[in-house]
Amino acid sequence: MTDAFIYDAARTPRGKGRPDGSLHEVTALALSARLLNAVKERNNLEGHAVEDVIWGNVTQVKEQGGCLARSAVLASDLDERIPGLSINRFCASGMEAVNLAANQVKAGAGSGYIAGGVEMMGRVPMGSDGAAIAVDPSLAMKTYFVPQGISADIIATEYGFSREEADKLAVESQRRAAAAWQEGRFSRSIVPVRDQNGLTILDHDEYMRPGTTMEDLAKLKPAFKDMGEMMPGFDKVAMLKYPHLDRIDHIHHAGNSSGIVDGAAAVLIGNEEFGRIHGLRPRARIRATAKIGTDPTIMLTGPVPVTEKILADSGMSIGDIDLFEVNEAFAAVVLRFMQAFQVDPGKVNVNGGAMALGHPLGATGAIIIGTLLDELERQDKEVGLATLCIASGMGAATIIERV
């Protein structure tokens, strides 16, 4: 087995995932191709430089359908001999693309890969692909399916997290994200999106609300209370699965949940020879990867068991990790992670997370790996862990170590 190194990590800014968002005019194909071109130019890649492009996207229908990865290669300036593979592990699709590429490099199946993902949530709405677990009664009944927001509220109820704790975490995420932009912490990774005339469409994450206060969030109604308590009564479905609960505390709302946004991210991965051939210096080694299945009803607890698994597989302990990126799908997901491992909150999502910056489903896993690497370099730390919860009950994680 050879080492797999990260040579570059790049992402677009995240645009609001709605018709008035700055990236709404851009298709997933166009955004992916532009980012692939940026990776090519940033690293002077010529010819058949990489073995494959592995690209995650979740809602694989309409303009995000087909093998979007191959379409993006053909739409970009990459050599047409480079193939493309589209994958879907829901919210961890971008991370799974990186992990798959890294593990193929380690096994000797090619010396270099571009991996990442995209999601244009304002153009191809989440859920428009009709996932079987949500729409097929035979599976939904077997798994006690509830929507993700209800799952997040179940976590809050089961592990004792209050609305105030969730809102405090959301306000802090906004503060950290604003500070990161003000201090230029994302500057190495951000690739501004420009139109065909070279004019800038978006050069910053536009979902942020840096002035958000606890008072602001207190005015928001719980987003999932009605669907939980009214027909079809998802709270009752959950309590059939968890009879020890006599109620579900609905604490999540738009302010302490991840934002719907558009965006893309890419990571350049290769072995030592790849770097030598292309004159590139490795920034980090992908030390370990892991994925796991979990309870599909509570659904979003995956970061805890997958972190336990990746640490055990690596012979490491939680104390060996300097920084953490835990996707802020919902506040309770991060609160549960910190509770389970008793980690210092100052080491988790140092630059804010999806509650402030948004969660472009297929791209987020690659985004947080890049953010983690940038922050390890900024703080001169060594080892970081990135992890996400995943729809239908899964978890994924990656450990990187600076070179």
Side-chain angles (χ1 to χ4, degrees):
M1 295 283 283
T2 185
D3 283 330
F5 298 104
I6 296 176
Y7 286 96
D8 194 17
R11 71 171 178 93
T12 70
R14 284 168 272 198
K16 296 176 183 177
R18 57 194 194 202
D20 64 346
S22 295
L23 297 182
H24 189 68
E25 68 187 72
V26 185
T27 65
L29 173 63
L31 195 68
S32 299
R34 290 172 188 178
L35 191 55
L36 292 178
N37 285 342
V39 172
K40 178 181 184 294
E41 294 163 6
R42 285 159 59 112
N43 298 282
N44 299 310
L45 301 179
E46 298 296 338
H48 196 172
V50 295
E51 184 76 14
D52 205 352
V53 170
I54 305 178
W55 213 238
N57 67 292
V58 174
T59 310
Q60 297 187 356
V61 295
K62 299 181 179 178
E63 62 192 50
Q64 287 188 172
C67 184
L68 182 60
R70 175 58 176 166
S71 297
V73 170
L74 295 175
S76 75
D77 297 330
L78 291 178
D79 194 302
E80 67 179 11
R81 293 172 294 173
I82 298 170
L85 171 66
S86 290
I87 65 168
N88 181 4
R89 200 188 289 280
F90 295 128
C91 298
S93 296
M95 175 176 285
E96 188 62 30
V98 172
N99 291 353
L100 180 58
N103 289 331
Q104 292 204 56
V105 168
K106 289 181 180 181
S111 62
Y113 286 75
I114 298 174
V118 67
E119 206 78 31
M120 303 305 287
M121 300 180 74
R123 296 179 63 91
V124 185
M126 179 172 54
S128 56
D129 52 347
I133 196 168
V135 303
D136 187 327
S138 65
L139 182 58
M141 293 174 66
K142 177 183 178 182
T143 58
Y144 295 88
F145 170 81
V146 299
Q148 283 191 30
I150 302 292
S151 298
D153 288 336
I154 296 171
I155 294 173
T157 307
E158 177 73 11
Y159 295 100
F161 303 127
S162 68
R163 164 94 179 238
E164 182 180 14
E165 288 176 292
D167 286 358
K168 282 182 178 178
L169 188 67
V171 170
E172 179 64 7
S173 181
Q174 294 284 352
R175 187 195 69 78
R176 292 183 181 189
W181 269 103
Q182 289 167 1
E183 296 175 14
R185 298 184 192 176
F186 300 133
S187 59
R188 181 168 185 175
S189 295
I190 288 290
V191 175
V193 181
R194 296 184 171 87
D195 65 16
Q196 59 186 6
N197 297 314
L199 300 176
T200 299
I201 299 174
L202 186 65
D203 61 3
H204 64 281
D205 292 316
E206 70 173 345
Y207 183 79
M208 291 189 303
R209 300 176 297 279
T212 299
T213 65
M214 291 290 289
E215 291 73 25
D216 295 330
L217 297 186
K219 298 173 185 177
L220 301 178
K221 292 183 178 181
F224 310 104
K225 183 178 176 68
D226 287 348
M227 72 170 65
E229 297 179 352
M230 299 170 64
M231 292 301 292
F234 286 113
D235 283 6
K236 291 182 179 179
V237 173
M239 287 186 285
L240 287 172
K241 182 74 171 286
Y242 314 113
H244 62 285
L245 300 178
D246 59 6
R247 72 189 189 289
I248 305 297
D249 295 327
H250 294 287
I251 72 165
H252 289 93
H253 50 73
N256 59 27
S257 306
S258 55
I260 294 174
V261 296
D262 304 324
V267 181
L268 180 62
I269 300 162
N271 59 20
E272 187 175 4
E273 180 187 12
F274 178 84
R276 185 167 58 250
I277 290 172
H278 297 284
L280 301 174
R281 179 179 177 183
R283 297 173 61 189
R285 177 169 65 99
I286 297 181
R287 181 162 176 171
T289 69
K291 61 271 189 183
I292 200 168
T294 63
D295 180 341
T297 307
I298 201 168
M299 194 184 307
L300 308 174
T301 55
V304 173
V306 81
T307 295
E308 292 171 341
K309 182 179 190 298
I310 199 170
L311 291 174
D313 290 348
S314 307
M316 301 175 71
S317 70
I318 200 73
D320 295 324
I321 309 298
D322 296 311
L323 294 173
F324 301 87
E325 284 289 322
V326 183
N327 185 40
E328 293 177 351
F330 299 91
V333 174
V334 183
L335 290 171
R336 172 58 188 147
F337 182 89
M338 293 190 294
Q339 178 192 65
F341 295 107
Q342 293 295 296
V343 295
D344 178 358
K347 295 182 178 181
V348 180
N349 302 341
V350 174
N351 296 306
M355 290 188 290
L357 299 166
H359 175 20
L361 305 178
T364 301
I367 289 174
I368 64 174
I369 290 173
T371 299
L372 181 62
L373 175 55
D374 286 344
E375 188 60 21
L376 286 170
E377 291 174 339
R378 189 184 76 86
Q379 292 195 29
D380 195 23
K381 302 292 187 181
E382 298 301 319
V383 181
L385 182 149
T387 184
L388 303 94
C389 61
I390 309 173
S392 76
M394 294 183 282
T398 307
I399 293 177
I400 64 174
E401 181 179 33
R402 283 182 60 206
V403 177

